[in-house]
Amino acid sequence: MKKKLFILFLLIGGLTIQSQNKKIDSLEILLKHLESDKEKISILNQLSWEYNLISNFDACIKAAESSIQLNKNMNSDLSSSYHHIGDAYYAKGNFDKALQSHIKSLEISEKLKNNTGILASYTSIGAVYMGIGNNSMSKEYYNKSLDLSNEIKDKKGKANALISLGNLNYIEGDYSKSEELYLK
């Protein structure tokens, strides 16, 4: 029975990667035929995200940087590009570059008054600080994320903030507070 389950998981994982690769191939073909920078920027950001999903972080960064080079405007695409770069550097363990990229993404989202982007940046910056062991800064950004998610009534953002704060309290050894946050 265990062998059958293992084989099933391998097949599902393989199909997911194959599906992801097909999507990447389609986006790359589409990119070659586009003339508009605006369309190229959008496709490059999609490519960046898809590469992130399959843990090809160098390709993720390259696509996002290409999007930034084409982007002449302060817009949510620019914020997303920096956010993808920050996520990739975080996954690679380069917390300094991850933090720089997420802060840049936050600055752009704040100028645009894009609460969704701000919320994503707060959460990611909190994660980077937790990754480098700066729990007080991590807690500050997770609390900003919680406050903003409450303000804009974003249930998913609120759940992410509560889980992140729960994880942080768990790391600090406050298991009862951690459990309380998880249960919320």
Side-chain angles (χ1 to χ4, degrees), residues 29-57:
I29 290 167
L30 180 60
L31 182 64
K32 290 176 184 175
H33 294 91
L34 295 174
E35 293 181 24
S36 157
D37 282 352
K38 183 177 181 180
E39 291 174 319
K40 288 179 183 178
I41 290 165
S42 176
I43 297 301
L44 284 165
N45 272 334
Q46 288 178 48
L47 266 172
S48 177
W49 177 248
E50 295 299 327
Y51 281 126
N52 194 7
L53 291 175
I54 62 168
S55 301
N56 188 341
F57 304 117

Side-chain angles (χ1 to χ4, degrees), residues 1-51:
M1 181 66 176
K2 287 183 181 181
K3 271 187 175 180
K4 289 180 183 178
L5 281 174
F6 179 73
I7 291 171
L8 179 65
F9 286 126
L10 283 178
L11 287 173
I12 291 171
L15 291 174
T16 301
I17 290 171
Q18 184 178 9
S19 170
Q20 220 62 45
N21 287 337
K22 284 182 181 179
K23 190 167 188 177
I24 288 170
D25 291 344
S26 296
L27 290 169
E28 286 179 345
I29 290 167
L30 180 60
L31 182 64
K32 290 176 184 175
H33 294 91
L34 295 174
E35 293 181 24
S36 157
D37 282 352
K38 183 177 181 180
E39 291 174 319
K40 288 179 183 178
I41 290 165
S42 176
I43 297 301
L44 284 165
N45 272 334
Q46 288 178 48
L47 266 172
S48 177
W49 177 248
E50 295 299 327
Y51 281 126

Side-chain angles (χ1 to χ4, degrees), residues 83-125:
H83 194 86
H84 293 167
I85 291 170
D87 286 347
Y89 278 124
Y90 178 85
K92 291 177 69 149
N94 189 333
F95 298 123
D96 288 337
K97 286 188 176 182
L99 188 58
Q100 290 170 7
S101 296
H102 283 304
I103 288 172
K104 183 72 174 166
S105 177
L106 174 61
E107 290 168 351
I108 295 166
S109 292
E110 287 175 337
K111 286 179 183 171
L112 297 172
K113 296 181 169 90
N114 176 356
N115 284 332
T116 304
I118 293 169
L119 184 60
S121 292
Y122 283 164
T123 302
S124 295
I125 291 169

